[in-house]
Amino acid sequence: MLKATLLKAAGSAFLQRQVTANPIARRVADRFIAGNTLDEAEHAIRALNAGGMSVALDYLGENTESEAQARESTSSYLAAIDRIQDRGMDANISVKLTALGLDIRQELALEEASKVAARGKEVGAMVGVDMEAAIYAGRTLDIVEALKRDYDNVGVCVQSYLYRSRDDLERLNRLGIPVRLVKGAYQESPEVAYPEKASVDHAYARMLDALLARNPYPMVATHDPAMVRLTKTLVARHHRDRDTFEFQMLYGVRRDLQQQVVAEGYRLRVYLPYGTQWYPYFMRRLAERPANLYFFLSNLVKR
């Protein structure tokens, strides 16, 4: 119930104004967000690289309402790729198609995503496509498949809590498209997504086996120690070398587990968001784990 309430709050414009104006909330959000600017993000990337971690850089923003806004988002993604290349950082980028105009026209999102993929290919950087709410799943995969025809540096996220995702994973494995497997963090109807955590976990485990068996470059995104252990077991079963897959975790979440994975010699990429449009992302992080919400509330009390 609490999770559903927080996810609903992520879409509230009124609450967004209240929370983003609160300096305490901003300070807590800094645990999960690298800052407002690319300069601040670069500082965080360098710190993570120094700790042996790669980065997936995400410029925050979604659901643009005009072509001009979509192209502004594209410019920000291109600037991020250029900064990574110019400064020699170990990072790639992650994009949201609604930031590139998917709510306006699918063709617009494909056009803008193609610009980002092309620049990424020029510098040898992967471009990961985020999976957003379930209503975008089909269009997102269609765009990714279209990008695959010209660019071999594009991957996509798949969410285990959606009923459709097992079939989506089979499609992507068949096409040879790298997949980032997550559990899912949006508010969805029981008609399209598993409502119980146990069912989501079970689906994740089943899909993890198929991912590690047949995907060209699996990206295992989890903070669940049980899923980390299962990944290690399946990697051995499917005879995968450690340089053919990676773990992924979110900035500011389970830093102890991140350090453990790196210390054991596995690849780890940290999903690192930055930008001024941090409220929806922040609320989804609070909804995911009670520890995150406790951290937020305890800091408000300390005010």
Side-chain angles (χ1 to χ4, degrees):
M1 185 66 172
L2 178 58
K3 179 177 180 179
T5 300
L6 289 169
L7 290 176
K8 185 175 182 180
S12 168
F14 171 77
L15 287 176
Q16 178 168 345
R17 289 192 296 270
Q18 298 300 310
V19 172
T20 55
N22 186 318
I24 304 298
R26 174 68 243 201
R27 190 169 72 231
V28 176
D30 286 343
R31 176 187 176 118
F32 308 106
I33 297 153
N36 289 340
T37 68
L38 187 53
D39 287 340
E40 290 172 308
E42 179 180 345
H43 181 77
I45 293 172
R46 292 194 179 281
L48 291 165
N49 286 172
M53 305 172 192
S54 302
V55 167
L57 185 62
D58 172 31
Y59 174 68
L60 291 169
E62 48 198 80
N63 302 108
T64 54
E65 298 177 345
S66 71
E67 292 192 12
Q69 288 178 342
R71 295 195 170 97
E72 286 176 9
S73 294
T74 300
S75 295
S76 295
Y77 289 132
L78 295 177
I81 292 174
D82 290 345
R83 178 72 66 93
I84 289 166
Q85 171 69 9
D86 293 344
R87 305 289 173 87
M89 295 181 283
D90 182 3
N92 57 35
I93 69 163
S94 191
V95 305
K96 285 183 171 60
L97 293 181
T98 63
L100 298 179
L102 187 56
D103 287 324
I104 302 167
R105 285 185 294 109
Q106 185 166 328
E107 295 78 12
L108 174 63
L110 175 57
E111 176 186 338
E112 297 305 304
S114 296
K115 297 175 186 175
V116 179
R119 184 70 61 84
K121 187 172 182 178
E122 287 175 6
V123 304
M126 176 180 279
V127 174
V129 176
D130 283 345
M131 188 62 71
E132 303 177 67
I135 59 171
Y136 299 111
R139 285 175 287 167
T140 295
L141 294 181
D142 288 344
I143 288 174
V144 168
E145 184 172 350
L147 291 171
K148 170 68 175 176
R149 298 179 193 128
D150 296 309
Y151 308 104
D152 58 2
N153 60 316
V154 175
V156 68
C157 178
V158 172
Q159 303 161 321
S160 72
Y161 71 168
L162 296 181
Y163 302 140
R164 60 171 293 159
S165 289
R166 289 183 69 185
D167 291 336
D168 291 340
L169 179 59
E170 288 185 15
R171 171 186 178 184
L172 294 163
N173 285 344
R174 189 169 58 251
L175 292 168
I177 296 173
V179 167
R180 175 178 186 253
L181 182 62
V182 305
K183 291 183 180 178
Y186 291 83
Q187 184 179 18
E188 301 291 0
S189 162
E191 295 177 356
V192 300
Y194 297 106
E196 303 89 9
K197 181 182 182 301
S199 298
V200 175
D201 290 350
H202 185 58
Y204 190 98
R206 289 198 313 269
M207 293 175 65
L208 184 59
D209 189 28
L211 180 74
L212 290 166
R214 295 188 289 278
N215 194 261
Y217 192 76
M219 294 165 278
V220 182
T222 182
H223 306 99
D224 184 342
M227 294 303 170
V228 171
R229 291 192 297 270
L230 178 59
T231 299
K232 296 172 185 177
T233 298
L234 292 172
V235 163
R237 181 182 302 168
H238 297 303
H239 307 290
R240 291 203 78 115
D241 293 333
R242 291 189 180 187
D243 62 354
T244 66
F245 77 99
E246 66 186 34
F247 287 103
Q248 291 196 0
M249 299 186 193
L250 300 174
Y251 183 65
V253 180
R254 288 305 307 264
R255 292 171 179 164
D256 57 332
L257 187 57
Q258 294 180 18
Q259 292 167 355
Q260 177 187 326
V261 165
V262 171
E264 291 174 352
Y266 291 95
R267 288 184 173 185
L268 174 69
R269 188 174 302 275
V270 176
Y271 186 93
L272 181 72
Y274 76 101
T276 59
Q277 304 300 311
W278 52 267
Y279 172 78
Y281 179 87
F282 176 59
M283 295 303 290
R284 290 195 290 269
R285 297 294 76 78
L286 295 185
E288 278 179 338
R289 298 179 67 231
N292 293 342
L293 181 59
Y294 174 77
F295 179 75
F296 176 47
L297 294 176
S298 63
N299 275 268
L300 288 178
V301 171
K302 292 175 185 176
R303 183 175 181 179

